[in-house]
Amino acid sequence: MLTVAVILILGIGFCLGWKEIAYSYSDIHVADIMSVWPFLICLIISMTVGTGLMMIPDSSNYLTSPDKTFIVLVSMMLTIVILYTMSCHFSTVTIFWGALLAITYINNGSVGLITWILMAMSILIAPALSMACSLLFHKLIQKHIVQKNIHLLMKQLHIKWLAYIGVFVCGIVLTYNYALLVDMLLAPIYSSGYPTWTHWAFVGMMSLVCICPIIVQVYQYPRNGLISNHLASLYAQAFVTLVMNILVPIAIRPIPPVIVSANLLKEGNIIILERGKEMKRVVNMITISVFSPVLSFLVCICIDWFYPKPYIFWIIILFTILVCILTRLSYMQYKKGKNVRRMLSDELKHRDEVNDKLNRLDVMALTSQFDSISREIDFKHKELIDLSLYVQQQRDYITAVGERLKQLAKNDSLESVQEVLTSLNTELKETLRYPPEMEKIYQQVEKMHHDFVCRLQMRCQNLTNRETKLAILLRLGFSSKEIANVLNLETKSVEINRYRLRKKLRLDRSENLVNYLQML
């Protein structure tokens, strides 16, 4: 039975480090203040000092026999397992008060006034006093550090030193508080005749078991580069715990040290220091201060009732633990499946959004391609009409010239024939020089090729009108000979104009003028 009791106390020590001390350090971002090894050394020193202080006062023991202590240990662990299975916020100290209340009721048939006073001071008065102290400390820090007219680096340095001192002082006070709890659980067992050195060996084991979850819990979150203003909460917990453990027993002699829950104190402090999470913190406080001790009280009553029947006692304990394990595994599996389903749903939703986006892009691409083809067809249609009109106009003009030549053949005057031929030659040159229909073609080409002329003029602003038209014809793929025929120029003149255009565009000899114009 002693081995089981030791294992249970080690488990309780693990919970004290996990849910009590580590929870007090979590919000001040210890990882941003110091690395692991300095924090570990500071924690070991503070825990050693706190444990040593526990040996100074002659504290009263609430439990008197090893059997009752074993029942309390079993009740506390079963309650912790049940609350953890239900994912409830709990505190080892309030669970202890519930089990102690049940043992007192079983032994005496009623609960004494001292027990009620101790529970009220631990569960009601201590959180209220801690909330008031945290508000006071917060205002002091704001007034003398944050709002003070000093450099920002000095403010951060002062806050860091406050954090260093707070970690050390809070470690001493909390260790002393929980060492009183462990000592009260161990005292009836040690009274059975075990040597004193076993006490210190067990304290060392408890310290190691308690330190491990503290380090893991404090450093499991990534550093954020900030130091929280929850230093006021840390100092308030240390002050209230010190008052309840030492000052109250000194002032009121019949009252033994009052063991408080740092978890409960901090939940109350957060309500004062933070906004937006009041309902969650109130629920946590109700769970810690009401639901946990009530459940512990009921479990302890049942355990005490089955304790004289060893077989039934162990069967019920193992069955309860098995049910809790299976329930927890089922809950974790359900939560894991829920997360997987949520991830699959998000993936499907993301895939649908991507498909919709791709479909819209495809529709936009097809629409753009259709519009481009439609514009090209319209351009070709207009170009065909304009060319047809131009051909018809030239045909009419040539027919008219033929009629004039027939009439000229009938004329006998040589001077009159020369004058008419000179006039016809001038008209033919003007007609072949540049037809008006070509201007429409250039305008349509400009619209068809997305404001090519504007981009060309932005590239080179001193282009002449003829050079602009030459660039348009080159972009359309006309050769120099074809351009000479269209513009009624010599091929050499077209080559000279091409050279001038290259010079104005500042192209190297290796660059192709036509490719450059088509890519523009």
Side-chain angles (χ1 to χ4, degrees):
M1 184 178 295
L2 178 62
T3 304
V4 177
V6 171
I7 294 174
L8 292 175
I9 294 178
L10 290 177
I12 292 173
F14 180 85
C15 293
L16 290 175
W18 172 39
K19 283 293 185 178
E20 303 286 345
I21 301 177
Y23 193 67
S24 300
Y25 290 142
S26 60
D27 276 353
I28 65 168
H29 304 298
V30 176
D32 295 325
I33 303 172
M34 59 181 73
S35 57
V36 178
W37 286 107
F39 175 70
L40 180 60
I41 294 172
C42 181
L43 194 63
I44 292 174
I45 296 174
S46 61
M47 292 182 70
T48 303
V49 174
T51 306
L53 291 176
M54 182 265 297
M55 305 300 296
I56 296 176
D58 185 16
S59 58
S60 301
N61 296 320
Y62 303 120
L63 302 174
T64 56
S65 67
D67 290 339
K68 298 302 181 183
T69 303
F70 184 75
I71 293 173
V72 169
L73 291 174
V74 173
S75 303
M76 290 177 65
M77 285 306 301
L78 282 181
T79 306
I80 290 172
V81 171
I82 293 172
L83 291 173
Y84 179 73
T85 303
M86 298 170 62
S87 297
C88 293
H89 217 66
F90 63 88
S91 171
T92 310
V93 174
T94 56
I95 292 174
F96 168 75
W97 285 118
L100 179 64
L101 186 67
I103 289 296
T104 305
Y105 178 77
I106 291 170
N107 291 336
N108 304 327
S110 63
V111 181
L113 181 62
I114 298 295
T115 306
W116 285 114
I117 293 175
L118 293 173
M119 289 190 62
M121 294 181 68
S122 176
I123 297 177
L124 298 177
I125 298 176
L129 181 61
S130 179
M131 293 168 68
C133 291
S134 64
L135 183 60
L136 176 62
F137 290 147
H138 180 70
K139 289 184 177 180
L140 291 175
I141 293 174
Q142 290 290 321
K143 180 179 179 181
H144 295 285
I145 296 179
V146 178
Q147 298 176 359
K148 194 174 181 180
N149 189 17
I150 58 176
H151 197 274
L152 180 61
L153 294 177
M154 293 300 299
K155 293 181 182 180
Q156 294 178 354
L157 181 62
H158 291 165
I159 291 177
K160 268 194 172 184
W161 276 111
L162 278 177
Y164 280 123
I165 299 172
V167 168
F168 185 74
V169 172
C170 191
I172 294 175
V173 176
L174 291 181
T175 304
Y176 175 71
N177 178 68
Y178 297 123
L180 290 174
L181 172 62
V182 175
D183 183 62
M184 291 173 187
L185 294 174
L186 288 174
I189 299 177
Y190 291 142
S191 62
S192 301
Y194 291 96
T196 307
W197 65 267
T198 57
H199 174 75
W200 292 105
F202 195 77
V203 169
M205 294 173 59
M206 283 287 296
S207 301
L208 292 176
V209 171
C210 189
I211 286 175
C212 294
I214 295 174
I215 298 296
V216 174
Q217 191 76 9
V218 169
Y219 286 90
Q220 69 176 346
Y221 300 106
R223 303 184 182 187
N224 57 5
L226 300 175
I227 299 177
S228 174
N229 61 353
H230 284 230
L231 287 172
S233 174
L234 194 67
Y235 278 93
Q237 293 177 61
F239 176 75
V240 173
T241 304
L242 185 64
V243 168
M244 292 297 170
N245 291 163
I246 298 176
L247 299 182
V248 169
I250 292 176
I252 308 174
R253 284 296 178 183
I255 301 233
V258 181
I259 303 171
V260 298
S261 169
N263 200 341
L264 181 61
L265 299 183
K266 186 179 178 182
E267 290 293 335
N269 296 339
I270 293 177
I271 295 177
I272 299 297
L273 298 174
E274 288 187 0
R275 294 295 178 267
K277 297 182 179 180
E278 289 84 356
M279 184 58 65
K280 178 183 177 181
R281 303 303 176 181
V282 169
V283 172
N284 290 341
M285 290 188 68
I286 293 174
T287 305
I288 294 172
S289 60
V290 178
F291 184 67
S292 296
V294 170
L295 180 61
S296 178
F297 178 85
L298 297 176
V299 171
C300 189
I301 294 292
C302 295
I303 292 298
D304 182 75
W305 190 69
F306 287 108
Y307 185 71
K309 307 170 184 178
Y311 295 105
I312 300 177
F313 174 79
W314 289 111
I315 289 174
I316 290 177
I317 291 176
L318 294 176
F319 177 77
T320 304
I321 295 175
L322 181 62
V323 169
C324 291
I325 292 174
L326 293 177
T327 304
R328 185 67 182 180
L329 292 176
S330 301
Y331 173 74
M332 293 175 63
Q333 190 67 26
Y334 167 76
K335 192 174 181 180
K336 183 178 179 181
K338 186 178 180 180
N339 292 334
V340 171
R341 288 192 296 269
R342 180 179 57 81
M343 292 175 62
L344 290 176
S345 177
D346 294 341
E347 181 67 23
L348 292 175
K349 184 178 179 180
H350 178 69
R351 186 177 298 177
D352 292 339
E353 291 177 354
V354 171
N355 291 333
D356 292 340
K357 187 175 181 180
L358 291 176
N359 292 334
R360 287 195 299 270
L361 292 176
D362 291 340
V363 171
M364 291 174 63
L366 291 175
T367 304
S368 177
Q369 187 177 3
F370 177 76
D371 293 340
S372 176
I373 294 173
S374 299
R375 288 196 299 270
E376 186 175 359
I377 292 175
D378 293 339
F379 170 71
K380 295 296 183 182
H381 181 67
K382 292 178 181 179
E383 184 182 19
L384 181 61
I385 293 174
D386 292 338
L387 290 176
S388 300
L389 292 175
Y390 174 70
V391 171
Q392 183 64 35
Q393 182 182 1
Q394 295 298 319
R395 185 174 181 179
D396 294 341
Y397 176 74
I398 292 173
T399 303
V401 170
E403 293 295 331
R404 292 176 66 182
L405 290 175
K406 286 182 181 180
Q407 293 178 2
L408 184 62
K410 298 177 182 179
N411 196 344
D412 297 332
S413 175
L414 182 60
E415 294 180 358
S416 177
V417 171
Q418 290 178 350
E419 183 179 353
V420 171
L421 289 176
T422 303
S423 176
L424 285 175
N425 184 32
T426 304
E427 291 179 2
L428 286 173
K429 287 183 178 181
E430 291 295 330
T431 302
L432 294 175
R433 182 176 297 276
Y434 186 71
E437 286 74 11
M438 289 299 295
E439 183 66 30
K440 297 181 180 179
I441 295 175
Y442 288 133
Q443 294 176 359
Q444 293 170 358
V445 168
E446 180 182 347
K447 293 179 181 180
M448 185 64 189
H449 292 273
H450 305 289
D451 299 330
F452 165 72
V453 175
C454 293
R455 295 196 298 272
L456 182 65
Q457 290 177 352
M458 290 177 63
R459 180 67 175 83
C460 184
Q461 299 179 357
N462 59 347
L463 292 177
T464 62
N465 189 24
R466 174 170 291 184
E467 289 171 344
T468 303
K469 292 173 182 177
L470 174 63
I472 293 175
L473 293 174
L474 290 173
R475 180 181 173 87
L476 293 175
F478 283 72
S479 63
S480 297
K481 186 176 181 180
E482 292 172 342
I483 294 173
N485 294 331
V486 171
L487 299 180
N488 194 22
L489 296 172
E490 295 291 336
T491 305
K492 187 176 180 180
S493 299
V494 175
E495 293 294 337
I496 293 173
N497 290 332
R498 289 184 64 164
Y499 173 76
R500 290 174 179 172
L501 180 61
R502 287 179 59 90
K503 189 174 181 181
K504 287 185 177 182
L505 294 176
R506 299 177 181 178
L507 298 179
D508 296 335
R509 293 183 179 179
S510 60
E511 294 185 78
N512 188 279
L513 177 61
V514 177
N515 293 337
Y516 175 81
L517 294 173
Q518 289 178 351
M519 294 296 294
L520 189 62

